């Protein structure tokens, strides 16, 4: 599905964009570099809200097909399937374009510039956003990233179906201690060897936009890194697409990192470094105008940035064919049977069987008269989807998450596939986290609300006893444990990889039952990052001495938030 560009059309778009810029005032130019770009009616420039997320579906924007997390899709090692996923995300993005409604509606959507794929290299499991990536290998990441981009952007030579965005350029995943938005101790050699190759590949294959990371390298935030942006990306790779800062990168240089004295200097330096779209830094508007007025910024650099942005708007068909919301099209593509089929295929391929002691598949399901499905994630539809899916702390307009009828949990799946005469029981067994107010206060410095903090839940003896009782009465036990959205994602880096809450105790009790009854225990780890499992699952010091018994464990599977069809 690789898109073959139309050079004549591309040249036409650039010329039209340049002509428009020549007719714009300074204030109008700067307005087009903000996340929400207002209309300029006298020039026929439409208003546009630049962004939406799409790592494994546009579920952050409302009802959508939610695929497995990227780290799980990478485990499928299937480039063709990754392109199909990218295409489904692009099709649904186009179908929902600009469907912005009041909070509480399921169809919140902002734009056709979709912030995906995340092609950072995942090397520190403490980093909270590893699930968004394709893993630790630059070669695999580059190959999958290219195919996701090709699928999303479509094959029309004249127009983009949606604009993909490779993020976060570059080295964002290797910050000190795995912390979000801190210093990345990376040499140029490390960057060239590990962290830049996937970006170079997608840049040369036509990815429409690049997003810059929060981090600093050698004390310089990437937003202002001349070597990365001008010498490498714009220069050596000849990248002509648009660059977008991450959330308030320019503002952070003033109020958080304290490397710029004010918004005037920060705005000037950001534009000089090659940034086109400034995400959510309100002070950029006045800062950039003042920078030009005070001689700190050549207005021609603003012209270049705005021309690139307008060119992308032409590529998206926003001038000739605004393709406004079409309810019939939305209903036809969102969660369509074809997308559900692709989702199921990817879920099946993404799940990894880590250990199997002659238990799976159940050779003779007729011998199973009762299956106990236990664990806090066995029937947790929203946490099965993971981050950027609709009910994370970043998405207050979807407190209930995705429509329950679109999701098949593990419990749902077992009930659907088990023989008619097999009884399926369910017990939660443990809680994972409790939510408490953040001691830093209710609001971030920029006025946004802080989500509550997650702390490990205490052991609930009533839940534990119920699960053990059901396990003893069953012919087989399927235990589903892992992490929840409050423990992963942006700003959610972690100091521990241990299972949280009462999950370890639950597994220990279930393992004891398995040893005593000689009935199989299947553990499913629904987790978006590597996690440390207790000795009852992995053996003492991680070594299973007696493989036949495996310390009471029958099988172990890893499912990286396997999406709507994961069950």
């Amino acid at each position: 599905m690789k898109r073959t560009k139309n050079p004549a059309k591309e040249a036409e778009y650039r010329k039209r964009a340049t002509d428009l810029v020549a007719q714009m005032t300074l204030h109008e130019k700067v307005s087009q570099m903000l996340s929400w770009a207002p209309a300029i009616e006298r020039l026929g420039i439409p208003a546009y809200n630049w962004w939406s997320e799409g790592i494994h579906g546009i579920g952050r924007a409302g009802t959508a097909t939610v695929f497995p997390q990227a780290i799980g899709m990478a485990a499928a090692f299937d480039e063709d399937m990754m392109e199909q996923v990218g295409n489904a995300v692009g099709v649904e993005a186009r179908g929902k374009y600009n469907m912005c409604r009041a909070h509480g509606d399921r169809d919140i959507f902002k734009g056709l510039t979709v912030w995906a794929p995340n092609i950072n290299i995942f090397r520190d499991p403490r980093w909270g956003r590893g699930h968004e990536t394709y893993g630790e290998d630059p070669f695999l990441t580059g190959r999958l990233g290219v195919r996701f981009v090709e699928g999303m952007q479509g094959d029309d030579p004249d127009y983009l179906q949606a604009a993909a965005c490779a993020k976060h350029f570059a080295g964002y995943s290797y910050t000190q201690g795995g912390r979000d938005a801190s210093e990345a101790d990376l040499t140029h050699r490390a960057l060239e060897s590990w962290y830049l190759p996937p970006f170079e590949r997608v840049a040369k294959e036509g990815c429409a936009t690049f997003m810059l990371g929060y981090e600093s390298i050698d004390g310089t935030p990437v937003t202002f890194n001349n070597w990365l942006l001008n010498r490498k990306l714009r220069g050596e790779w000849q990248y002509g697409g648009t660059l977008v800062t991450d959330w308030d990168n320019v503002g952070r240089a003033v109020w958080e990192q304290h490397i710029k004295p004010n918004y005037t200097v920060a705005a000037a330096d950001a534009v000089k470094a090659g940034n086109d779209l400034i995400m959510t830094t309100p002070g950029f508007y006045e800062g950039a105008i003042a920078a030009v007025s005070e001689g700190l910024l050549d207005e021609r650099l603003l012209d270049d940035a705005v021309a690139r942005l307008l060119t992308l708007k032409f590529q998206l068909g926003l001038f000739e064919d605004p393709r406004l919301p079409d309810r019939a099209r939305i209903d036809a593509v969102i969660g369509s049977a074809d997308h559900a089929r692709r989702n199921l295929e990817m879920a099946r391929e993404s799940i990894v069987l880590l250990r199997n002691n002659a238990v799976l598949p159940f050779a003779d399901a007729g011998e199973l008269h009762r299956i106990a499905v236990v664990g806090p994630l066995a029937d947790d539809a929203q946490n099965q989807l993971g981050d950027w899916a609709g009910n994370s702390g970043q998405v207050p307009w979807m407190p209930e998450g995705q429509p329950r009828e679109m999701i098949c949990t593990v419990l749902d799946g077992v009930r659907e596939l088990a023989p008619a005469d097999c009884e399926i029981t369910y017990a939660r067994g443990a809680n994972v986290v409790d939510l408490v107010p953040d001691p830093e206060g209710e609001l971030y410095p920029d006025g946004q609300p802080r989500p509550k903090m997650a702390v490990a839940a205490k052991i609930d003896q009533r839940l534990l006893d119920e699960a053990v009782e059901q396990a003893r009465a069953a012919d087989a036990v399927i235990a589903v444990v892992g992490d929840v959205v409050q423990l992963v994602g942006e700003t959610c880096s972690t100091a521990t990889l241990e299972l949280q809450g009462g999950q370890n105790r639950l597994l220990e009790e279930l393992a004891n039952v398995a040893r005593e009854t000689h009935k199989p225990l299947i553990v499913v780890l629904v987790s978006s990052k590597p996690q440390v499992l207790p000795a009852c699952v992995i053996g003492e010091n991680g070594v299973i001495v007696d493989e036949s018994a495996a310390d009471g464990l029958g099988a172990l599977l890893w499912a990286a938030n396997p999406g709507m069809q994961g069950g």
Side-chain angles (χ1 to χ4, degrees):
M1 192 183 287
K2 183 176 181 179
R3 179 172 175 260
T4 302
K5 296 181 180 180
N6 182 340
K9 204 68 170 177
E10 295 290 321
E12 174 195 329
Y13 292 156
R14 288 193 294 271
K15 183 179 185 304
R16 292 175 67 183
T18 302
D19 289 345
L20 284 174
V21 172
Q23 302 174 62
M24 296 167 68
T25 67
L26 173 60
H27 288 255
E28 289 172 335
K29 294 173 187 175
V30 177
S31 74
Q32 295 301 294
M33 298 178 69
L34 304 178
S35 301
W36 173 257
I40 304 178
E41 294 183 1
R42 69 182 185 86
L43 298 177
I45 297 175
Y48 188 61
N49 201 344
W50 273 99
W51 64 284
S52 188
E53 293 287 347
I55 292 296
H56 58 133
I58 55 170
R60 183 188 186 280
T63 303
T65 302
V66 179
F67 291 87
Q69 285 286 9
I71 193 70
M73 292 193 287
F77 295 93
D78 192 318
E79 295 179 40
D80 292 339
M81 198 177 296
M82 185 61 74
E83 184 176 298
Q84 292 182 31
V85 171
N87 182 254
V89 175
V91 166
E92 294 198 4
R94 177 59 72 172
K96 294 183 71 162
Y97 166 56
N98 222 26
M99 181 61 74
C100 295
R101 297 192 173 194
H103 285 186
D105 193 292
R106 289 188 181 275
D107 291 306
I108 305 295
F109 195 64
K110 294 189 175 182
L112 289 167
T113 36
V114 182
W115 298 161
N118 184 333
I119 53 174
N120 291 130
I121 302 302
F122 187 25
R123 291 294 179 88
D124 191 328
R126 296 170 297 181
W127 183 51
R129 305 185 72 175
H131 58 281
E132 299 180 23
T133 77
Y134 301 133
E136 77 281 6
D137 183 71
F139 179 76
L140 177 66
T141 295
R143 292 286 290 266
L144 297 180
V146 166
R147 296 299 292 276
F148 185 90
V149 168
E150 290 176 351
M152 179 183 289
Q153 296 189 165
D155 57 2
D156 189 323
D158 295 340
Y159 294 102
L160 295 173
Q161 175 173 259
C165 177
K167 66 183 188 182
H168 306 80
F169 190 70
Y172 171 50
S173 57
Y174 200 69
T175 51
Q176 293 173 346
R179 294 184 180 91
D180 216 38
S182 61
E183 181 78 10
D185 292 327
L186 287 168
T187 63
H188 283 189
R189 180 176 180 179
L191 281 165
E192 296 276 18
S193 299
W194 301 106
Y195 297 92
L196 293 183
F199 287 98
E200 181 177 8
R201 185 180 286 267
V202 300
K204 293 180 177 179
E205 292 294 335
C207 186
T209 69
F210 267 45
M211 181 185 290
L212 310 183
Y214 288 123
E215 85 285 6
S216 298
I217 300 175
D218 290 335
T220 301
V222 170
T223 309
F224 307 97
N225 192 311
N226 186 64
W227 180 81
L228 267 177
L229 304 189
N230 286 324
R231 290 182 57 186
K232 181 61 62 176
L233 181 58
R234 296 285 196 203
E236 183 179 325
W237 300 351
Q238 293 295 295
Y239 183 69
T242 62
L243 300 188
V244 54
T245 72
D246 208 335
W247 196 275
D248 198 22
N249 274 10
V250 175
R252 289 176 188 274
V254 179
W255 62 262
E256 182 179 59
Q257 296 161 320
H258 303 292
I259 67 162
K260 303 296 178 184
N262 52 55
Y263 282 91
T264 300
V265 173
D269 290 349
V271 177
K272 290 175 185 177
N275 293 278
D276 302 314
L277 184 64
I278 312 301
M279 197 197 300
T280 57
T281 301
F284 174 81
Y285 182 79
E286 295 295 341
I289 293 171
V292 173
S293 301
E294 296 173 19
L296 296 177
L297 177 62
D298 188 333
E299 189 171 347
R300 289 175 296 183
L301 294 178
L302 287 175
D303 294 348
D304 294 340
V306 177
R308 285 190 289 264
L309 292 171
L310 292 180
T311 297
L312 181 53
K313 284 188 178 183
F314 280 115
Q315 291 175 312
L316 288 168
L318 304 185
F319 284 84
E320 286 77 23
D321 180 11
R323 310 183 197 185
L324 295 175
D326 182 332
R327 173 52 63 182
R329 176 172 171 79
I330 292 170
D331 292 340
V333 301
I334 301 299
S336 67
D338 179 55
H339 291 180
R341 175 188 58 79
R342 297 187 207 179
N343 201 357
L344 179 58
E345 290 177 0
M346 180 56 90
R348 286 172 169 161
E349 294 301 318
S350 70
I351 295 170
V352 180
L353 180 63
L354 297 175
R355 181 181 298 131
N356 187 16
N357 292 322
V359 170
L360 297 176
F362 293 131
D364 186 359
E367 296 182 359
L368 298 177
H369 301 291
R370 178 179 291 179
I371 299 174
V373 181
V374 303
L377 296 180
D379 195 37
D380 191 331
Q382 304 307 322
N383 276 307
Q384 179 175 296
L385 305 182
D387 196 22
W388 298 121
N391 74 331
S392 68
Q394 299 166 322
V395 190
W397 56 84
M398 291 189 73
E400 297 179 1
Q402 293 291 323
R404 180 61 178 86
E405 63 272 14
M406 294 179 67
I407 305 169
C408 176
T409 66
V410 176
L411 179 61
D412 293 336
V414 174
R415 283 173 170 165
E416 180 178 334
L417 296 177
D421 60 349
C422 182
E423 180 183 359
I424 308 300
T425 64
Y426 164 68
R428 183 174 176 83
N431 294 319
V432 182
V433 296
D434 292 325
L435 299 181
V436 300
D438 191 319
E440 294 293 326
E442 294 183 3
L443 302 176
Y444 286 110
D446 63 0
Q448 294 187 84
R450 290 182 189 270
K452 290 185 176 181
M453 292 182 63
V455 298
K458 295 181 179 180
I459 294 173
D460 187 319
Q461 194 63 44
R462 181 187 60 82
L463 294 179
L464 183 62
D465 290 345
E466 180 186 12
V468 171
E469 180 182 354
Q470 293 194 10
R472 288 190 180 280
D475 299 313
V477 179
I478 301 173
V480 190
V481 297
D483 59 18
V484 293
V485 292
Q486 292 85 5
L487 298 175
V488 298
E490 196 166 353
T491 75
C492 288
S493 301
T494 180
T496 178
L497 301 178
E498 300 281 346
L499 289 176
Q500 295 296 293
Q503 296 184 97
N504 280 346
R505 178 69 180 279
L506 173 64
L507 290 176
E508 289 167 358
E509 294 291 337
L510 294 176
N512 288 335
V513 172
R515 292 190 194 96
E516 294 169 10
T517 62
H518 303 287
K519 294 174 181 176
L521 168 63
I522 296 91
V523 174
V524 182
L525 180 63
V526 175
S527 173
S528 58
K529 62 177 178 296
Q531 292 201 282
V532 177
L533 298 178
C536 64
V537 174
I538 62 173
E540 295 296 335
N541 299 318
V543 178
I544 297 295
V545 178
D546 182 359
E547 275 292 345
S548 62
D551 287 346
L553 181 69
L556 173 62
L557 299 94
W558 174 65
N561 295 117
M564 286 180 161
Q565 299 298 315

